[in-house]
Amino acid sequence: MDWVDAGKGLAIALVVLFHSARWLAGLVGDISGWLWLNDLLATMRMPLFFTLAGLFAAKWAAVPLAQLWNAKLRLFVWVFLLWEVLGLGPYLLGQAAHGVEINARRELFDTAISPVVPRFELWFIWALALFFLLNRALRAVPAAVSLSVAAVVSVVAFTDILPLPSPSWTGVCKYYVFFLIGMIGRRALFSYAARSGWMLRSLVVACWAAFALVVTVFDLSRIPGVYPALACLGVLAGVAISQVLQRSAVIVRLGSRTLPVYLAHTP
């Protein structure tokens, strides 16, 4: 579906912008404006990505584990392990460029435990595999219960008070609810995308942008519930923008091949 691919294209473009700014900060002059813009866009970037990833996930909760492995998980595991190794060299070069002292023993240890504590930007691939497994394990749990628990976990995770071992685990706690929203709320999202007109789309985008500006400027993200609620609005705004972007063959094509972009963009 063109608008879904356009939404993925938008999300991956925002991801690349985010990582580019972080890696280039302090190396290419003043890019504080880009860093601030990334903060502003945060409530659309990953929530939209995970929501769109969940749109077609429901069928995989009911299939045999072997089928899930062969069709989905094996690819995630393969590319994750491969690019954890391939990404190590560029990562060390980036650290050196920033003047960070390299501890070879520590780097080898962190790479060895990366299947449990992911490194670099690859945690998204790892999280997707985990989400598909969670969905299958929890397939007998009522959707309302799963969604409610995931929402509470997300609210807590966004306050940054969870003592988790890495940002990847924090990301899982933050964004699983959006994967579920995409899966459980698929019909509602498709209906919204199909029936919303220019007026509603413009209103949703304007409201999200205004609230995101306020939250960013006044640093309100740590207030429990504010950030996840704004991220839900960011998903709706992202879907609305995708309705426009689906007219761009370039964006649609980009969205249809996000995996190689996600894996290779930092190196």
Side-chain angles (χ1 to χ4, degrees):
M1 300 183 69
D2 283 350
W3 77 263
V4 176
D5 282 338
K8 291 180 179 179
L10 169 64
I12 194 64
L14 296 181
V15 167
V16 172
L17 175 63
F18 173 72
H19 291 142
S20 299
R22 290 190 66 187
W23 276 108
L24 294 175
L27 299 179
V28 294
D30 183 16
I31 58 169
S32 57
W34 288 109
L35 295 171
W36 181 85
L37 180 62
N38 280 322
D39 289 342
L40 189 70
L41 295 169
T43 49
M44 179 183 292
R45 184 172 55 242
M46 297 312 293
L48 178 63
F49 219 160
F50 277 113
T51 300
L52 295 178
L55 284 178
F56 306 100
K59 66 178 181 180
W60 300 107
V63 301
L65 189 58
Q67 184 178 347
L68 177 61
W69 167 256
N70 287 323
K72 284 286 182 183
L73 301 183
R74 184 169 59 178
L75 173 65
F76 291 150
V77 170
W78 160 242
V79 298
F80 174 81
L81 294 177
L82 175 65
W83 283 89
E84 280 283 353
V85 175
L86 294 179
L88 181 59
Y91 170 78
L92 294 179
L93 286 175
Q95 293 289 84
H98 281 273
V100 178
E101 184 177 352
I102 304 300
N103 184 325
R105 183 178 299 177
R106 180 67 190 182
E107 295 299 336
L108 289 174
F109 176 78
D110 288 346
T111 301
I113 66 170
S114 61
V116 180
V117 184
R119 307 187 73 195
F120 320 139
E121 291 81 6
L122 299 174
W123 72 272
F124 177 80
I125 309 297
W126 177 83
L128 277 183
L130 184 60
F131 290 171
F132 278 101
L133 282 173
L134 275 174
N135 284 351
R136 191 183 184 282
L138 302 175
R139 62 190 183 279
V141 178
V145 174
S146 298
L147 194 61
S148 299
V149 172
V152 171
V153 172
S154 179
V155 168
V156 174
F158 271 113
T159 62
D160 291 330
I161 61 174
L162 285 176
L164 293 172
S166 73
S168 55
W169 279 99
T170 304
V172 165
C173 293
K174 287 178 178 179
Y175 298 116
Y176 181 50
V177 67
F178 295 98
F179 189 82
L180 286 180
I181 287 173
M183 186 177 72
I184 297 171
R186 168 182 167 151
R187 289 186 178 180
L189 285 169
F190 279 134
S191 178
Y192 163 72
R195 299 181 182 180
S196 57
W198 279 97
M199 185 174 295
L200 178 59
R201 293 172 193 167
S202 300
L203 180 62
V204 169
V205 173
C207 287
W208 165 76
F211 285 121
L213 183 63
V214 170
V215 169
T216 303
V217 170
F218 294 101
D219 194 22
L220 305 178
S221 60
R222 291 182 181 273
I223 299 177
V226 168
Y227 215 77
L230 182 56
C232 289
L233 188 57
V235 170
L236 295 179
V239 173
I241 295 172
S242 301
Q243 297 296 302
V244 179
L245 294 179
Q246 67 178 327
R247 300 179 181 182
S248 168
V250 174
I251 298 296
V252 171
R253 183 173 181 273
L254 176 64
S256 68
R257 56 191 305 273
T258 56
L259 184 59
V261 176
Y262 200 96
L263 293 171
H265 74 275
T266 296

